[in-house]
Amino acid sequence: MRWDNLAENGRNATDPESATLPGDIALFGTDAVTTRTFDTPEFRGITFHEVRARSILNRVPGASRMPFEWTVNPYRGCTHACVYCFARKTHSYLDLDTGLGFDSQIVVKVNAPELLRRQLASRRWQGAHIAMGTNVDCYQRAEGRYHLMPGIIGALRDHANPFSILTKGTLILRDLELLRQAAEVTDVGISVSVGFTDPGLWRSVEPGTPSPERRLDVVRTLTEHGIGCGVLMAPVIPFLGDHPDQLRATVRAIASAGATSVTPLVLHLRPGAREWFMAWLAREHPHLVRRYERLYAEGAYAPKWYQRRITRHVHELATEFGIGPAQRGTPRRIPPAPQPVLAEPAATQLSLL
């Protein structure tokens, strides 16, 4: 492990919930790494490694497909435990397990807010857009204990620095007022990830996340409070979540929640995630293993023809249900079904800032 004697120090600590150990200088500077466990139902079986990071602004590699250049990631590892999570590989950089270890060994950059504020104030910083939630979810369960995001959003607001957040977590609503304040001085983009609404598939592949219905409630609440929210329909899982009826149900639910946009993204299986996902597939759906091996034979991404087919279908459904780029920032609603008796006129659409 990159942290020397972590396990031994943890066992020998006088405080069973806290062990101080040498940090990895390259990643976390010379400050200590403190390992904690909390004997509460929501954190049982989870270990938190509290570190003081040397830097919090991360430059995205030039070869990346991402449409942004800078990210902030206050956590490494994620209790959402999504079996397909592409970020699993990052745990191997610390010699941590990319399977169960990724789900239960969470690195917390406890100095993230103060560090970001200092870096934003640097003369070298040019105010570029900062994306959050693109590696692991910044509103995973750990955020309920560590409360890093209010300080991070506050720093971005105070420097009028544009940013975006992608999340599966409902905890983002705790910071609603901060987000509104930030949106008054800079560009703020919020997206919620909902790849499907099938409850059985959700429980199987995203066991640590809020349900798709609760996530769509987040979209609804944000739009009702004047903050436009898009949906990243990700991942669309081949042979398990890509049936036309499933796609239709998902896009309809997204439209009903008032999303400003819907962007489909087909499952990709990078090293680290691929092994974990395929092991899950062999246990839960062994008849699909060969089909996946053929579909992903060329690498991490499904073939272009498959991606185009899914994208085209979702876009057609989005147009049918009234979601599209024509009026960016304005949520669309599906008209209610006709009532057999006289009823009050349907509420007018909300007008977003």
Side-chain angles (χ1 to χ4, degrees), residues 311-338:
T311 299
R312 181 172 59 252
H313 193 174
V314 170
H315 286 173
E316 290 171 353
L317 290 168
T319 299
E320 176 183 344
F321 292 130
I323 312 176
Q327 296 183 22
R328 186 177 180 184
T330 302
R332 310 294 182 83
R333 305 276 186 181
I334 298 176

Side-chain angles (χ1 to χ4, degrees), residues 232-256:
L232 181 64
M233 191 170 159
V236 176
I237 303 180
F239 318 127
L240 292 172
D242 63 349
H243 189 277
D245 291 345
Q246 292 174 303
L247 298 178
R248 171 172 284 272
T250 301
V251 176
R252 183 179 180 89
I254 290 169
S256 294

Side-chain angles (χ1 to χ4, degrees), residues 144-226:
R145 174 169 288 274
Y146 286 96
H147 299 271
L148 300 180
M149 287 301 293
I152 289 172
I153 296 171
L156 291 163
R157 175 204 59 196
D158 293 347
H159 287 273
N161 201 105
F163 67 92
S164 58
I165 298 173
L166 171 65
T167 185
K168 291 187 178 81
T170 57
L171 190 57
I172 190 173
L173 294 181
R174 178 201 64 192
D175 298 335
L176 180 58
E177 182 56 32
L178 275 171
L179 293 170
R180 292 182 64 181
Q181 293 171 12
E184 291 177 355
V185 297
T186 190
D187 291 330
V188 176
I190 308 295
S191 293
V192 172
S193 177
V194 182
F196 41 82
T197 54
D198 183 309
L201 185 59
W202 159 62
R203 292 188 183 96
S204 185
V205 301
E206 299 173 344
T209 66
S211 71
E213 290 78 9
R214 291 183 62 201
R215 285 178 248 164
L216 291 174
D217 284 341
V218 169
V219 176
R220 187 173 293 107
T221 300
L222 289 172
T223 59
E224 288 173 350
H225 285 81

Side-chain angles (χ1 to χ4, degrees), residues 118-155:
R118 186 162 69 245
Q119 291 185 279
L120 292 178
S122 170
R123 292 184 178 181
R124 292 181 297 174
W125 179 248
Q126 299 299 308
H129 178 97
I130 294 173
M132 292 175 283
T134 59
N135 187 37
V136 302
D137 203 318
C138 48
Y139 283 106
Q140 60 177 287
R141 273 180 284 165
E143 174 61 16
R145 174 169 288 274
Y146 286 96
H147 299 271
L148 300 180
M149 287 301 293
I152 289 172
I153 296 171

Side-chain angles (χ1 to χ4, degrees), residues 37-201:
T37 59
F38 303 102
D39 191 22
T40 56
E42 69 270 30
F43 296 124
R44 190 164 292 128
I46 299 172
T47 300
F48 295 99
H49 304 293
E50 300 175 356
V51 304
R52 296 191 63 81
R54 298 179 67 186
S55 177
I56 197 66
L57 283 167
N58 312 299
R59 185 186 287 274
V60 177
S64 171
R65 298 187 178 193
M66 297 297 102
F68 43 79
E69 189 177 359
W70 295 92
T71 64
V72 164
N73 299 301
Y75 301 99
R76 297 179 70 159
C78 187
T79 53
H80 284 343
C82 301
V83 297
Y84 53 75
C85 184
F86 71 88
R88 289 183 177 277
K89 180 67 175 177
T90 62
H91 247 37
S92 67
Y93 306 153
L94 299 175
D95 290 339
L96 290 170
D97 176 56
T98 60
L100 289 176
F102 180 84
D103 304 337
S104 61
Q105 301 280 330
I106 310 301
V107 177
V108 184
K109 302 173 187 178
V110 294
N111 62 331
E114 62 192 75
L115 186 56
L116 177 62
R117 187 173 290 274
R118 186 162 69 245
Q119 291 185 279
L120 292 178
S122 170
R123 292 184 178 181
R124 292 181 297 174
W125 179 248
Q126 299 299 308
H129 178 97
I130 294 173
M132 292 175 283
T134 59
N135 187 37
V136 302
D137 203 318
C138 48
Y139 283 106
Q140 60 177 287
R141 273 180 284 165
E143 174 61 16
R145 174 169 288 274
Y146 286 96
H147 299 271
L148 300 180
M149 287 301 293
I152 289 172
I153 296 171
L156 291 163
R157 175 204 59 196
D158 293 347
H159 287 273
N161 201 105
F163 67 92
S164 58
I165 298 173
L166 171 65
T167 185
K168 291 187 178 81
T170 57
L171 190 57
I172 190 173
L173 294 181
R174 178 201 64 192
D175 298 335
L176 180 58
E177 182 56 32
L178 275 171
L179 293 170
R180 292 182 64 181
Q181 293 171 12
E184 291 177 355
V185 297
T186 190
D187 291 330
V188 176
I190 308 295
S191 293
V192 172
S193 177
V194 182
F196 41 82
T197 54
D198 183 309
L201 185 59

